[in-house]
Amino acid sequence: MTELSVRDIAYCKNVGAKRADIFRRELHIETALDLLRHYPYRYTDRSRMYMIRDIRDEETAVQIRGRLLEWHTIGVGKGQRLSAQFSDGEHVVELVWFRGINYLKLDKNREYLLFGKPSRFNHEWNFVHPELTPIEKVTKQMTEGFEPEYPTTERMKQSGLNSKGVRTIIAGLIPDLKKGVQDTLGGDVRERYHLMNLTDALLNVHFPANSRLMQAARERLKFEELFYIQLNLLRQQKRRDQNPGYPMPKVGRLFNTFYREYLPFTLTEAQKRVIREIHADMQSGRQMNRLLQGDVGSGKTLVALMCALLAADNGYQTCIMAPTEILAQQHYETLRHLLRGNNSEEEEGTLWDNGKQSLMRIALLTGSTTKRQREELHRRLRAGEIDLLIGTHALLEDEVQFANLGLCIVDEQHRFGVAQRAKLWNKNVRAPHVLVMTATPIPRTLAMTLYGDLRVSIIDELPPGRKPVHTLHYSILRRQSINRFIREQVDLGRQVYVVYPLIKENEKLDLRDLENGYNELIDTFPDYRISMVHGQMRAADKEVQMQRFQRGETQILVATTVIEVGVNVPNASVMIIENAERFGLSQLHQLRGRVGRGAEQSYCILLTKTEISAETRKRMEIMVATNDGFKIAETDLQLRGPGDLDGTLQSGQAFELHIANLSTDGQILERARQAAEEVLETDPLLESEWNRLYKRQLDVLRASGKGPVNWGEIS
Ligand code: ADP
Ligand code: MG
């Protein structure tokens, strides 16, 4: 065994204090072993020798034997560069250097091996900052097998730590690595899952002798990475299983009355099943942590309400937190309506029900609740005079205190950060039960990684009688016929959404797009009433506009994505998405979910520029082809990779994968999770002697800041 894990990176060959500092700051690399854990992102096959005429594209790095014909520097100072002519005896290419010109030692009489990525300039191939090695110094290892390429940063490059620099330093560690490093997976796990040991994996991930060994090495390292994420999540889950939770065994008057007398339709089988699953958790005596997944329109709001009724039957308060004011407002209206059943309207002007006509006392708290209303509301909450509080981030403030909060429901969770959630969790002596609802179908691999410590309930059935939304993709050249279609639909009594993207960096321009669109619609349809809603409006104005549309007073709603989540207007049957190329797939799917909520046939029209990229075309095609949110989410993951999924990873669920890839390594993930389950089976908290290895490695990962963050740590 070697001491690579404790050898300061500064003391490795070719490093020194300055580069060590850069390694530390740029990549958090402290030790020799950390550097060995800095994996190549790809490899170049160096067994092939090229002629200049063989160069085809800019993607593939190539190596060519040849000589330098001549060179000269151009410009002075910062803009200076050195240009050289390199010939393979048949053709000539230009080599260019912008940096480190003084250190270059070029020799006309020598034969060189040129290695680098070609780029095209003025119809000619050239090489910027290629590697030039005198032919007699070319080692066998260099032109054989695969050459690793390493991710680097601008800062690193300035100190010679480009891919080649990193490679040289790692190569210097190989003799010590060969003496062996402590494995991070037990022999039994490696055997059962046919995994390479860590020493061989590290040797072969950096300098693989052949592609089979490279694959085996990468698989082992991916497995390990995913295994520790799963081990951490599952251990948290099991630890929390031992946490006490508020017991809510009773199915009482409120739930039963609602079910028998208020419920306006029959629950779908899927709704019944998830309510049973949730109730089982709520009465278990342990804290619930559950994710409720269901496609848009699957009826999650009703499930949330029925859970709140169960909590109230057991003497606990519930809060529902929504990501936007519009959505909180709408939840409040919907739930108030449901809770009133056939009872008449009670007096307007208060933000809570008086409890006489409504089955539960329900209140709304948002950023636009006035100070006076707020104070009264705080008082009632503390006095236990409110059973169900709905709100936005405003719920999180410290003054918002409950008499006995027992259930937190977080809608469209991915918009909330970790710290914000922690605040909500802390509003009672024990952590309340937590139900996270999401309408963004998440591919299984991502769900397992993001929510691996939550139990999952899925509503996989839509309420009966829904007609699938018909989706069409058009270029803006067809605007006239689309306007005719809008007229047709409105004349049939339907309502229409027209949505524009609003993306932060571009806010001003986007807003102009939206306002232009709005004005054009007014010109085209002078006889219609049109609402407009966007993020820059005052909350009160937004609400007025939304309500007009909701009540059917306006026929068209022009909006930004503020309407993306949750808005429910069953009479709206047309969704027109402008600049659809600028939306991600899951966003498009969310938007489409705003229609198809009534009995009428609904339409979603995706409008794009005439010229679109191949990727955009794929996105439009999958939208047209299917309404299945899970299929769309899978495609999204494949097209864009997990880092980009709408908001999913932006919420402080900070895990970063170094080698595994959630869109392609699903199989490895399944096996890694199974292995983690097996390790924890008889030793859920990793307390035994034989699992010390795993406990220690989890601690190491956490201490390094590279380990997974998860729900467990915030509850
Ligand atoms: P989600 O939040 O899952 O996107 P909602 O809770 O907004 O969906 O429900 C969508 C629509 O379906 C609402 O109008 C709701 O009243 C209706 N709905 C919910 N459950 C049922 C059911 N079992 N039968 C008929 N309609 C239902
Ligand atoms: Mg909803």
Side-chain angles (χ1 to χ4, degrees), residues 423-592:
K423 278 192 135 178
L424 196 51
W425 279 211
N426 282 330
K427 290 209 183 273
N428 205 346
V429 185
R430 288 180 194 167
H433 295 298
V434 175
L435 182 67
V436 176
M437 304 201 292
T438 173
T440 315
I442 308 169
R444 184 172 155 75
T445 54
L446 200 55
M448 267 165 65
T449 311
L450 279 175
Y451 305 113
D453 59 336
L454 299 180
R455 302 241 146 63
V456 179
S457 289
I458 298 179
I459 309 186
D460 50 5
E461 177 187 3
L462 293 180
R466 295 272 171 82
K467 292 198 181 77
V469 178
H470 197 59
T471 304
L472 303 151
H473 169 217
Y474 289 124
S475 97
I476 42 174
L477 297 179
R478 301 284 297 274
R479 192 170 294 285
Q480 292 228 330
S481 54
I482 287 157
N483 284 341
R484 273 199 301 278
F485 179 70
I486 293 179
R487 186 167 286 285
E488 240 173 70
Q489 289 288 309
V490 173
D491 288 348
L492 286 169
R494 313 282 137 69
Q495 288 165 284
V496 179
Y497 292 105
V498 181
V499 176
Y500 284 83
L502 190 64
I503 295 162
K504 279 261 155 51
E505 307 90 70
N506 242 328
E507 216 152 328
K508 285 233 169 69
L509 262 173
D510 285 344
L511 206 56
R512 212 177 58 205
D513 270 7
L514 174 100
E515 278 163 354
N516 287 344
Y518 174 69
N519 289 330
E520 268 173 40
L521 283 167
I522 289 182
D523 289 345
T524 316
F525 303 107
D527 46 335
Y528 293 169
R529 281 177 309 258
I530 305 177
S531 293
M532 176 163 71
V533 184
H534 59 75
Q536 316 245 302
M537 289 165 67
R538 283 183 27 226
D541 295 338
K542 254 191 283 192
E543 202 191 304
V544 169
Q545 294 289 320
M546 275 310 295
Q547 278 180 0
R548 288 177 67 211
F549 188 69
Q550 242 152 2
R551 286 199 288 258
E553 292 165 16
T554 58
Q555 288 84 41
I556 301 177
L557 175 69
V558 182
T560 58
T561 41
V562 288
I563 63 150
E564 180 187 335
V565 272
V567 170
N568 190 23
V569 182
N571 188 50
S573 66
V574 181
M575 166 63 66
I576 294 175
I577 304 178
E578 298 275 354
N579 303 326
E581 67 271 11
R582 289 178 52 193
F583 290 95
L585 263 180
S586 60
Q587 237 180 342
L588 290 173
H589 180 66
Q590 280 288 315
L591 286 168
R592 178 168 61 185

Side-chain angles (χ1 to χ4, degrees), residues 300-301 331 411-412 566:
K300 292 184 294 295
T301 314
H331 271 327
D411 195 10
E412 314 295 352

Side-chain angles (χ1 to χ4, degrees), residues 264-268 271 294-302 330-331 334 338 411-412 437 439 459 463-464 466 566 568 570 594 597:
F265 29 63
T266 28
L267 295 175
T268 62
Q271 283 171 319
D295 213 339
V296 279
S298 60
K300 292 184 294 295
T301 314
L302 194 63
Q330 184 188 282
H331 271 327
T334 306
L338 283 165
D411 195 10
E412 314 295 352
M437 304 201 292
I459 309 186
R466 295 272 171 82
N568 190 23
R594 299 308 108 215
R597 296 178 157 243

